[in-house]
């Protein structure tokens, strides 16, 4: 092989910012142009939805979505929120997602703790059972669960349908069972990086399993737990299928599924639906923008070890 | 440092756990295991069992052998289109969206300015629910009011992007890829950050071009990320549901196996046995990938 390229310019390509001014030329400009175009293309549909939601339907119907605005208002937001009872659906989503996230993290962290810290027998099998469970297509388990939930009776104070079917419990239970798999996987990877000596010392001092878990291991896992919490909240909030299948009473639907029901009501008014979508998307977008670091950490913790 | 063997011996001793410890472990480990078995693996097995029956959810359960599968493969019109669409989904996400996400990650990894802005923007669609992505797709692609037709200015002869059964799957794939690309990008970006820069420098000194360095040096070290991305891509493609359901309930060109399962169990005609057979087909394909992935994970775990 003939060495035609001198190594120097290649070396400046390593991720050190502010390297030689020679590189800040056509290549860099092209790179920025490309990234800018792609970014705008990715953002465009969202901006379009926001723009549409601010304009009256008649206006876009007449002049199209790309016309200049003649009248901008938040009317549709008020309408979407009031007329369709979105507040109620929001509460439904929170009723499922908040306990769901807390329970999932609690149970998953304990399983991970048992597998990695206590090294219980069969830990590896346990890890596989949970991890594989999270990778199954939801539709595989939907049918038997549907039947199971209609058969489980609950007292009236727990469910006004008197069964597990058509109650928050059904969705909550499935969410937890399904997501525990992912969290066990991530937390086990994380706990492996905690030095043994820390727990060892406590054990010598006579700390029981609960103390080792709650007072020693869990605080050390705070970064991973924070990351998982943001991620899990987004996933549970965005869930669509479970509620669709396990809840029949429209009043109990979480907001994502409720949006689908609203579609029938306002079929032609896309601008109103756009406003509804923006409202629905707002919590996850906010969580993402505010907790971006944690959010991304959660995904990559699960993906790349160490 | 105490000898590891001594420590282990001590831990294995009979007084390792007090009875209180055992109670804590029993309850707190028992609950998630029970949940996992009762709500995930139990139903999975039940699905397999039910797929050999013609149960309608109310009456008696009759064993029909492989009848459901026979009907499915030969006499259920939406089945093969659904398989085709699921495969298209895998191919499109795997061959278009994933490489594109990798490309974006590599470009962002060069340490460009405004990298954070680009990252956030490209990643934004991932936090949206697929149901919203489905709606936004309608906003862009609908025939009469969609943005795409407005750009094309074809008011007299509008294209029905989502209604035309030959076209709509591609539009939906674009929308799904919109979300998938950002996801893949983030995973690769994290992987690239952990690549030892001295490897790249060594390759550069040996006279390798940037492209050569990437394909021969960097990409092989990203093997664990590649595997994760591959698994996510396939699993997500098989699981796909929300987006087509939000658009048109998965009909008229947008059939997917997941939609067929749901169709057969909710609503009037609850053909639970038949729906389960479709679910088992889905399961069989997924399990192949799940097992491959777990074996990989195990090997990595042993090494680490």
């Amino acid at each position: 092989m003939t060495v035609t390229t001198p190594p120097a310019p290649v070396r400046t390509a390593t991720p050190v910012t502010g390297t030689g001014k020679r590189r800040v030329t056509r290549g860099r400009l092209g790179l920025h142009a490309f990234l800018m175009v792609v970014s705008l293309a990715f953002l465009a549909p969202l901006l379009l939805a926001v723009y549409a939601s601010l304009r009256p339907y008649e206006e876009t119907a007449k002049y199209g979505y790309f016309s200049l605005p003649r009248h901008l208002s938040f009317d549709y937001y008020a309408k979407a929120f009031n007329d369709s009872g979105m507040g109620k659906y929001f509460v439904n989503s929170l009723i499922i997602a908040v306990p769901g996230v807390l329970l999932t993290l609690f149970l998953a962290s304990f399983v991970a703790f048992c597998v990695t810290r206590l090294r219980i027998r069969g830990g590896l099998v346990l890890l596989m059972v949970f991890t594989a469970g999270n990778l199954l297509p939801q539709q595989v388990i939907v049918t038997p669960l549907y039947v199971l939930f209609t058969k489980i009776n609950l007292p009236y104070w727990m469910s006004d349908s008197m069964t597990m079917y058509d109650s928050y419990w059904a969705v909550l239970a499935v969410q937890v069972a399904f997501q525990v798999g992912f969290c066990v996987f991530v937390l086990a990877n994380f706990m492996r990086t905690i030095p043994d000596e820390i727990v060892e010392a406590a054990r010598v001092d006579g700390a029981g399993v609960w103390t080792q878990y709650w007072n020693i291991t869990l605080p050390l896992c705070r970064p991973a737990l924070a990351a998982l919490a943001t991620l899990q909240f987004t996933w549970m909030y965005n869930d669509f299928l479970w509620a669709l299948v396990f809840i029949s009473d429209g009043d109990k639907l979480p907001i994502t599924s409720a949006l689908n029901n609203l579609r029938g009501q306002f079929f032609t008014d896309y601008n109103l639906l756009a406003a509804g979508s923006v409202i629905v998307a707002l919590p996850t977008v906010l969580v993402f923008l505010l907790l971006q670091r944690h959010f991304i950490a959660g995904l990559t913790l699960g993906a790349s070890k160490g | 440092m105490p000898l590891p063997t001594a420590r282990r011996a001590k831990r294995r001793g009979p007084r390792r756990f007090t009875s209180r410890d055992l109670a804590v472990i029993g309850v707190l480990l028992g609950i998630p295991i029970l949940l996992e078995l009762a709500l995930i693996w139990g139903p999975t097995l039940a699905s397999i069992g039910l797929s050999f029956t013609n149960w309608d959810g109310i009456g008696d359960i009759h064993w029909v052998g492989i009848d459901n599968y026979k009907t499915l493969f030969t006499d259920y019109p939406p089945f093969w289109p659904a398989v085709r669409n699921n495969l298209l989904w895998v191919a499109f996400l795997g061959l278009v969206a994933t490489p594109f996400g990798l490309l974006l990650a590599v470009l962002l990894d060069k340490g460009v300015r405004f990298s954070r802005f680009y990252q956030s923007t490209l990643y934004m669609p991932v936090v949206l629910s697929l149901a919203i992505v489905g709606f936004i797709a309608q906003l862009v692609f609908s025939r009469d009011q969609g943005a795409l037709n407005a750009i094309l200015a074809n008011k007299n002869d509008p294209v029905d992007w989502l209604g035309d059964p030959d076209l709509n799957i591609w539009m939906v794939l674009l929308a799904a890829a919109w979300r998938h690309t950002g996801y893949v990008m983030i995973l690769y970006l994290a992987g690239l950050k952990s690549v030892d820069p001295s490897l790249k420098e060594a390759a550069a000194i040996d006279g390798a071009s940037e492209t050569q360095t990437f394909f021969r040096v960097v990409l092989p070290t990203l093997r664990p990320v590649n595997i994760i991305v591959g698994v996510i891509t396939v699993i997500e493609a098989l699981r796909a549901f929300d987006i087509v359901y939000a658009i048109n309930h998965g009909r008229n060109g947008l059939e997917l196996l997941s939609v067929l399962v749901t169709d057969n169990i909710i609503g009037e005609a609850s053909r639970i046995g038949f729906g389960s057979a479709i679910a088992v087909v889905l399961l069989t394909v997924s399990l192949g990938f799940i097992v491959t992935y777990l074996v990989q994970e195990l090997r990595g775990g042993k090494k680490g």
Side-chain angles (χ1 to χ4, degrees), chain B residues 56-125:
Chain B
D56 60 1
I58 309 155
D60 295 331
I61 301 182
H62 294 290
W63 191 261
V64 294
I66 57 164
D67 278 10
N68 285 329
Y69 293 94
K70 268 193 205 146
T71 315
L72 192 57
F73 291 132
T74 57
D75 196 21
Y76 187 59
F79 179 71
W80 290 111
V83 170
R84 194 192 64 123
N85 287 345
N86 270 111
L87 288 177
L88 264 181
W89 214 284
V90 176
F92 194 81
L93 291 191
L95 300 177
V96 180
T98 302
F100 190 54
L102 175 60
L103 173 71
L104 290 171
V106 170
L107 293 181
L108 286 174
D109 190 51
K110 287 176 178 238
V112 289
R113 275 200 188 180
F114 319 119
S115 163
R116 265 189 68 112
F117 165 76
Y118 294 135
Q119 268 184 52
S120 314
T121 314
L122 296 172
Y123 195 69
M124 188 81 81

Side-chain angles (χ1 to χ4, degrees), chain A residues 65 118 134 140 209 292 299, chain B residues 16 21 47 120 123 145 239:
Chain A
Y65 283 111
L118 300 183
N134 183 249
V140 173
V209 164
Q292 204 175 16
L299 277 178
Chain B
R16 188 180 158 200
D21 284 346
S47 252
S120 314
Y123 195 69
Q145 301 167 33
R239 277 180 182 178

